[in-house]
Amino acid sequence: MKILIMGTGGVGGYYGGLLAQQGNDVTFIARGAHLYALRHEGLKVKSVHGDFHVFPANATDDPVHAGPVDLILFCVKTYNTDEAAQAIHPAVGPQTVVLSIQNGVDAAERIGEVIGMEHVLGGATWLSSAVAEPGVIKQISQFRRIVFGELGGGRSERVQPIFEVLNQTGITAEISEDIQKVLWTKLVFITAVSSIGSLTRLPMGDYRSIPETRSLLFQLMQEVESLARAEGVDLDADVVQSWLEFIDNAAPTIKPSMQLDVEVGYRTELESMIGIVGRKGRKVGIPTPAVDFVYASLLPVELKARKA
């Protein structure tokens, strides 16, 4: 399969590397020192599932060099979604499928507004992976999962070939007939751990068993759950408890991507992972006091990073 990785960060670099290892024609989109390293030294992946090296790696900073592709794995940070959607136009042919595995619940729709909704699938991933240095991806989680499906629900013929190519990499790949439920279910988790992690700057193992902090974690999850139900999304009844159990059983060193960005002073996905909950809550009359507190606390950090 001819595949474009739009955003070769921790997520795109890891999954793109696995896809290239399986013989797919993969083009990596990157910039700066990372792009230079990919072009000259290939993509090096250090993973708990086994290290590997993609060399040569077909890397560029402009999707026009890829030409029309079969699949675009859309992995940029959510604050770059609109710009990146414009950039992939030259790589989108009549049959091209764009699979967003970004955080949040609105990225796929934003992409579709630019290139046409008929090209877009919704997706979510569970992975702990980051760029360790230019050209090097470090992946540390036992979990590496992608769930995807048609935004309008149901199951189409075009999802099966994508499932097969993802499944061949050894990751956990799943097709969902209700991807909106999947996206909101993940938001329950990612909003909470991004909030606590970014505020404390500690890994999960250092805060998950502290009663006061766990109570805040629980409240954050409940607020997102309430909002999802108000939006008409039928989440599982035990969604919050299931995520708490997941956190309890996760490796103690895990940190979400937003927290990693906060710790090094980068711009973050604050708006799409935390701010969006408060904004949507106010529209439908769902109070989100814990989320609003976190957003107000982290906004000065975010604004400083944007100026850097």
Side-chain angles (χ1 to χ4, degrees):
M1 186 176 284
K2 191 173 183 182
I3 301 170
L4 178 71
I5 304 297
M6 190 60 188
T8 309
V11 173
Y14 180 67
Y15 288 135
L18 291 176
L19 289 163
Q21 282 285 93
Q22 292 299 313
N24 294 287
D25 180 3
V26 178
T27 299
F28 299 92
I29 301 298
R31 294 180 293 185
H34 193 43
L35 174 59
Y36 181 89
L38 292 173
R39 283 175 166 171
H40 292 85
E41 301 174 22
L43 175 67
K44 300 174 183 177
V45 176
K46 299 178 180 180
S47 170
V48 295
H49 299 280
D51 299 347
F52 61 91
H53 186 196
V54 177
F55 185 83
N58 182 14
T60 179
D61 61 354
D62 192 340
V64 71
H65 299 303
V69 298
D70 302 310
L71 172 66
I72 299 176
L73 203 60
F74 203 93
C75 309
V76 304
K77 296 289 190 180
T78 50
Y79 49 77
N80 285 327
T81 296
D82 302 322
E83 176 187 359
Q86 291 287 350
I88 64 173
H89 264 298
V92 178
Q95 303 303 316
T96 299
V97 176
V98 180
L99 171 55
S100 166
I101 52 173
Q102 299 163 274
N103 286 314
V105 293
D106 66 342
E109 285 82 358
R110 289 166 61 189
I111 297 167
E113 289 174 0
V114 177
I115 65 165
M117 291 301 299
E118 69 274 13
H119 290 288
V120 185
L121 295 177
T125 187
W126 290 262
L127 182 75
S128 184
S129 184
V131 178
E133 59 185 271
V136 180
I137 304 295
K138 185 176 182 181
Q139 188 272 326
I140 64 172
S141 59
Q142 288 296 327
F143 51 88
R144 44 177 188 165
R145 177 184 177 215
I146 294 177
V147 183
F148 68 100
E150 295 288 350
L151 289 169
R155 188 184 184 112
S156 66
E157 292 183 0
R158 65 178 179 171
V159 301
Q160 188 62 32
I162 298 170
F163 168 79
E164 290 172 1
V165 77
L166 290 172
N167 193 52
Q168 288 168 1
T169 66
I171 71 168
T172 301
E174 302 171 29
I175 298 170
S176 172
E177 296 187 12
D178 189 356
I179 196 62
Q180 296 296 340
K181 177 180 178 179
V182 172
L183 293 174
W184 278 95
T185 296
K186 182 183 177 183
L187 192 68
V188 171
F189 166 75
I190 202 67
T191 295
V193 296
S194 295
S195 295
I196 301 298
S198 297
L199 288 175
T200 65
R201 316 289 174 94
L202 296 173
M204 285 184 189
D206 288 345
Y207 64 72
R208 62 190 176 193
S209 61
I210 297 174
E212 293 85 353
T213 311
R214 192 176 182 87
S215 177
L216 178 57
L217 194 68
F218 181 79
Q219 184 178 349
L220 290 162
M221 289 185 179
Q222 280 194 318
E223 289 179 6
V224 182
E225 178 191 11
S226 296
L227 175 60
R229 298 193 189 285
E231 292 278 332
V233 181
D234 186 22
L235 299 183
D236 292 341
D238 64 345
V239 61
V240 171
Q241 186 58 40
S242 293
W243 278 127
L244 288 172
E245 292 174 3
F246 177 87
I247 291 169
D248 288 339
N249 293 312
T253 57
I254 293 294
K255 294 181 178 182
S257 60
M258 180 176 156
Q259 177 181 349
L260 295 174
D261 288 338
V262 167
E263 290 179 355
V264 294
Y266 292 164
R267 187 176 180 183
T268 75
E269 295 181 299
L270 177 67
E271 297 298 339
S272 60
M273 292 201 285
I274 298 172
I276 192 173
V277 177
R279 291 192 298 273
K280 283 183 173 290
R282 285 184 285 278
K283 286 183 179 179
V284 298
I286 297 296
T288 57
V291 168
D292 293 342
F293 164 76
V294 174
Y295 180 77
S297 300
L298 293 175
L299 185 57
V301 179
E302 169 66 13
L303 294 176
K304 181 179 179 181
R306 291 179 193 177
K307 296 177 181 177

